[in-house]
Amino acid sequence: MKTGGFLAGLVLLAAGAPSAVRAETLTNDMVVSLVQAGLGDDAVIAKIKASAAHYALSTDDLITLKKRGVSGPVIAAMIDAGSQGAVSSKAAFSADSPDPLVPHPSGVYLANDARMVRIDPTTSNQSKTGGILGYAFTGGIASLSIKAVIPNITARVRTGRARPTFYFYFDEATRGLSQAGGASLWLSGPASAITSPNEFSLIRFDVKKDRRETRVGSMNLAGAKAGVMDKDRIPFDYEQVTPGVFKVTPSADLPTGEYGFIYSVSAGAGPGMWGNGTGSARIFDFAIHP
């Protein structure tokens, strides 16, 4: 009886092993690691055929693979696997999978234990000024601040974690794939050239009666500044998970409040300070409420 139970357990483990192998998602770097470990082309190609994949296969990517020691047959197997995946790419997309290597529609996501939540950008089409009296009474010595305003006192997306994790998906991550969610978020306007979280600023909002505000400019006799002020930026760290996909975390715990990632402050239409880039901003807003 004991021997039979032991054998049955081995059978169950063996049955589950292929599923675990198939669940792994290979990337360019993982293939390079297998090659550099000396496994041989046959073993690496077998692994490629047995595994899900998320490869970057542009001309430059293929040249880089060759320079890193990947043979022609292995690269061909990667291209074949990539082309097969592209046929069913629409089904492969997921808007809430917790696995960062699973293709997601482009955008910014908050990671929770069981799923990712996409943060839709909020556009600030209003600007307001603060410190006008001090600016006027001091003849422009005191600074006048310019603020971007977004409606409502709290964000739709919330988390109870003081140091949440985010994933940024740019177009490079979905190159050659048809996005199930429609057009890319980054294809037009100032966002078309964005390829890294380093081009964003993490800010905290001041909550007012029916709105949230953040400073995006200032002006005094010395001149005008547009964009998020250095002292208003909240530091964050990021690392590339795979081409076009980045993991982002605040550098320290964040207190309860309203926050957002802001990536552009476009120019206003009026003269003077309104022509210095304070007209509108797109913000990926979220709230921390334990």
Side-chain angles (χ1 to χ4, degrees):
M1 293 295 292
K2 291 183 178 179
T3 302
F6 176 73
L7 291 175
L10 288 178
V11 170
L12 289 174
L13 287 173
S19 296
V21 171
R22 287 193 296 271
E24 187 175 26
T25 302
L26 292 185
T27 64
N28 291 34
D29 288 340
M30 294 170 70
V31 171
V32 171
S33 296
L34 292 173
V35 170
Q36 293 178 349
L39 294 181
D41 285 1
D42 290 343
V44 176
I45 290 172
K47 176 67 173 175
I48 289 172
K49 291 180 177 179
S51 304
H54 186 52
Y55 301 128
L57 298 172
S58 69
T59 300
D60 289 342
D61 293 323
L62 298 182
I63 293 172
T64 299
L65 286 169
K66 187 65 177 177
K67 289 180 177 179
R68 296 178 71 183
V70 181
S71 69
V74 172
I75 292 176
M78 294 172 67
I79 294 172
D80 184 58
S83 64
Q84 291 179 10
V87 173
S88 59
S89 62
K90 189 169 184 178
F93 267 93
S94 172
D96 59 4
S97 171
D99 184 354
L101 293 178
V102 170
H104 287 63
S106 60
V108 177
Y109 293 78
L110 170 67
N112 291 320
D113 291 331
R115 66 191 186 102
M116 289 195 197
V117 180
R118 192 169 189 254
I119 303 176
D120 293 327
T122 298
T123 300
S124 168
N125 288 321
Q126 299 182 46
S127 294
K128 62 172 294 186
T129 57
I132 295 178
L133 290 179
Y135 178 84
F137 288 146
T138 61
I141 296 177
S143 294
L144 179 150
S145 62
I146 304 163
K147 300 179 180 180
V149 180
I150 59 175
N152 303 319
I153 60 172
T154 190
R156 182 181 63 85
V157 175
R158 299 185 178 190
T159 179
R161 295 178 177 176
R163 195 179 301 189
T165 298
F166 302 88
Y167 286 94
F168 287 53
Y169 287 81
F170 298 104
D171 291 333
E172 185 180 8
T174 55
R175 185 183 298 157
L177 302 179
S178 298
Q179 294 208 48
S184 166
L185 181 67
W186 315 111
L187 285 180
S188 61
S192 60
I194 298 241
T195 58
S196 165
N198 195 43
E199 299 172 66
F200 290 70
S201 295
L202 176 58
I203 50 88
R204 183 174 183 177
F205 287 102
D206 294 323
V207 179
K208 304 300 181 180
K209 180 179 180 181
D210 57 355
R211 65 191 184 277
R212 288 162 286 163
E213 303 175 350
T214 186
R215 187 169 63 160
V216 293
S218 67
M219 186 179 72
N220 58 22
L221 282 178
K225 295 180 180 180
V228 179
M229 304 294 105
D230 289 341
K231 67 179 181 180
D232 294 334
R233 299 177 194 270
I234 299 173
F236 62 83
D237 302 311
Y238 68 90
E239 60 179 293
Q240 181 170 305
V241 178
T242 193
V245 181
F246 294 83
K247 179 181 179 182
V248 176
T249 53
S251 300
D253 289 354
L254 303 178
T256 298
E258 301 290 324
Y259 298 87
F261 290 97
I262 179 171
Y263 74 77
S264 76
V265 182
S266 59
M273 62 183 175
W274 303 109
N276 285 302
T278 59
S280 65
R282 297 187 72 194
I283 301 166
F284 296 86
D285 58 323
F286 64 95
I288 293 182
H289 289 287

